[in-house]
Amino acid sequence: MSKILEKIKCSGIEGKHINMRLVELYDAEFIYAMRQNSNRARFLSGIKNGVKAQIEWIKKYKARERKRNEFYFIIQSKQDDNVGLVRLYDLREDSFCWGSWIMKDNVSANYAIESLLCVYDFGFYTLGFPKAHFDVRKKNVSVLAFHRRFGAKVISESDLDYYFELTEVDYKIIKKKYSRYQ
């Protein structure tokens, strides 16, 4: 896997209605604002200490990105408006994790679906992983239902979370259903 990741050059991902570009230091204010939205971020890990702390976090993240250990994207409309965030991390020998997925209030649900497809395409086809893993809080009912409809399977659970897996094989099958988004 490390040989594959060494060869990856990633500046962004182009979708049909959105683009996803890697986070930069100047995105700290947007990220902080998104993560402070109590409605949208209620199931994500909390962040504190303001924009300056977010800048410091991004600096550390950029070092992980240079090593191809993590990828943090700003989701943008084709008009370059920031509409969301998503991150790929915990890259294992046979699996990638993704999360920190958050969209602005009042943006098209199509943007969320397309960003999900872009994440899976990047993880499966660009990074070359055969499966994805992620967790969802049990109280996040709408997101749980979405992932189940999308074909992800619960492989374990804790008191707080369900742990999911989606294979590339399953993704290829379900992707056809969502082809109008790409």
Side-chain angles (χ1 to χ4, degrees):
M1 178 185 74
S2 60
K3 289 180 183 179
I4 293 170
L5 294 179
E6 287 172 16
K7 295 178 184 178
I8 303 274
K9 291 189 180 3
C10 178
S11 56
I13 300 169
E14 238 183 271
K16 184 176 179 180
H17 300 102
I18 63 163
N19 293 324
M20 293 172 36
R21 65 167 177 79
L22 292 170
V23 162
E24 298 296 340
L25 288 175
Y26 60 81
D27 294 312
E29 193 171 317
F30 174 72
I31 294 169
Y32 185 76
M34 290 290 289
R35 298 295 299 259
Q36 292 302 303
N37 180 326
S38 59
N39 182 42
R40 289 293 183 170
R42 70 184 178 274
F43 296 111
L44 300 180
S45 303
I47 61 170
K48 301 177 184 175
N49 304 323
V51 175
K52 286 184 181 182
Q54 187 66 57
I55 290 169
E56 292 307 310
W57 188 94
I58 293 171
K59 287 178 183 177
K60 292 174 185 169
Y61 151 74
K62 293 303 275 186
R64 295 188 302 274
E65 176 192 297
R66 282 189 295 277
K67 293 178 183 176
R68 300 303 189 220
N69 293 331
E70 188 172 332
F71 301 91
Y72 197 10
F73 293 99
I74 299 284
I75 303 164
Q76 295 183 310
S77 69
K78 288 295 187 178
Q79 294 75 36
D80 294 328
D81 295 324
N82 294 345
V83 297
L85 305 165
V86 68
R87 192 165 63 102
L88 282 81
Y89 57 98
D90 189 22
L91 306 180
R92 300 176 183 172
E93 195 61 37
D94 68 344
S95 182
F96 68 96
C97 184
W98 70 277
S100 305
W101 186 35
I102 183 170
M103 303 297 289
K104 281 175 80 173
D105 291 324
N106 303 316
V107 298
S108 170
N110 294 346
Y111 288 176
I113 293 168
E114 188 174 343
S115 68
L116 173 85
L117 294 167
C118 287
V119 163
Y120 282 128
D121 279 357
F122 183 71
F124 291 135
Y125 306 131
T126 302
L127 298 180
F129 289 102
K131 62 184 172 182
H133 64 279
F134 57 94
D135 55 274
V136 179
R137 295 278 190 240
K138 288 181 174 181
K139 291 184 178 180
N140 198 349
V141 177
S142 63
V143 172
L144 287 169
F146 175 77
H147 285 301
R148 285 182 172 130
R149 279 192 314 270
F150 200 80
K153 298 190 178 41
V154 174
I155 56 170
S156 66
E157 66 181 276
S158 69
D159 290 341
L160 290 175
D161 299 311
Y162 287 113
Y163 297 92
F164 284 88
E165 184 176 277
L166 182 73
T167 67
E168 179 189 358
V169 171
D170 290 336
Y171 174 65
K172 283 180 181 177
I173 294 166
I174 198 71
K175 184 179 175 178
K176 292 175 187 172
K177 179 179 173 183
Y178 292 91
S179 63
R180 66 185 164 121
Y181 296 98
Q182 289 192 305

